[in-house]
Amino acid sequence: MSAKNKGEQIAGLKVTPDKFLPHRYAGASGDFNPIHIDKEFAEMVGLPSTILHGLYVMGLVAKAATDEAGGDPRALKRLSVQFRGMSYPEQEIEVTGEVIEADGAEVTFDLIATQNGNQVIRNASADVTYDA
């Protein structure tokens, strides 16, 4: 896979997390906050339902950048994100982005994760290195 040019869009990523994903992610991450896994508790504290872990959604942003650079996780050199909204299981999340800097094999992407038109992650920046 060859490096991109400034202004090019990335292929992106679309994922629909199933209703049990927050439970699996809680087990993997150790974050058992009930707003992620207990619908009644989430509603009791004013949420419409359980919400996904923010770091799970950040992982989708990282995956989109890594996939764009050929799929090797070692290609991702830096990632920063701004969490801007809640996301929910059983609703599609789309990660989009474009190249904002390109210097040979060194590329920086600007990325956004949206769900139902809501930007749940924005101003995300990922530096990747393409194989030379």
Side-chain angles (χ1 to χ4, degrees), residues 71-82:
D72 185 345
R74 295 173 296 178
L76 182 62
K77 303 302 180 188
R78 186 188 63 81
L79 177 67
S80 67
V81 305
Q82 290 181 0

Side-chain angles (χ1 to χ4, degrees), residues 85-106:
M86 292 179 282
S87 52
Y88 305 93
E90 301 184 277
Q91 299 176 31
E92 184 179 76
I93 297 169
E94 182 176 13
V95 180
T96 58
E98 72 175 83
V99 176
I100 57 172
E101 290 183 32
D103 183 13
E106 307 293 321

Side-chain angles (χ1 to χ4, degrees), residues 4 6 8 11 22 26-27 29 40-41 46 51 57 64 66 68 82 90 105 115 122-123 126 131:
K4 301 282 187 183
K6 186 175 181 177
E8 283 187 60
S29 69
E40 290 76 27
F41 180 86
I51 61 173
V57 182
T66 301
E68 190 66 26
Q82 290 181 0
E90 301 184 277
Q115 187 178 62
R122 65 179 175 192
N123 298 325
D131 289 334

Side-chain angles (χ1 to χ4, degrees), residues 6-110:
K6 186 175 181 177
E8 283 187 60
Q9 299 296 307
I10 69 165
L13 176 69
K14 291 182 180 182
V15 173
T16 303
D18 66 68
K19 68 181 177 179
F20 299 112
L21 182 119
H23 297 272
R24 293 191 307 274
Y25 192 86
S29 69
D31 180 354
F32 290 94
N33 186 323
I35 63 172
H36 301 300
I37 57 176
D38 184 331
K39 185 176 190 310
E40 290 76 27
F41 180 86
E43 290 171 348
M44 184 178 70
V45 298
L47 298 172
S49 184
T50 57
I51 61 173
L52 295 172
H53 294 78
L55 292 179
Y56 166 77
V57 182
M58 185 178 88
L60 296 178
V61 172
K63 180 172 177 18
T66 301
D67 287 353
E68 190 66 26
D72 185 345
R74 295 173 296 178
L76 182 62
K77 303 302 180 188
R78 186 188 63 81
L79 177 67
S80 67
V81 305
Q82 290 181 0
F83 298 100
R84 294 295 184 196
M86 292 179 282
S87 52
Y88 305 93
E90 301 184 277
Q91 299 176 31
E92 184 179 76
I93 297 169
E94 182 176 13
V95 180
T96 58
E98 72 175 83
V99 176
I100 57 172
E101 290 183 32
D103 183 13
E106 307 293 321
V107 177
T108 300
F109 301 125
D110 176 52

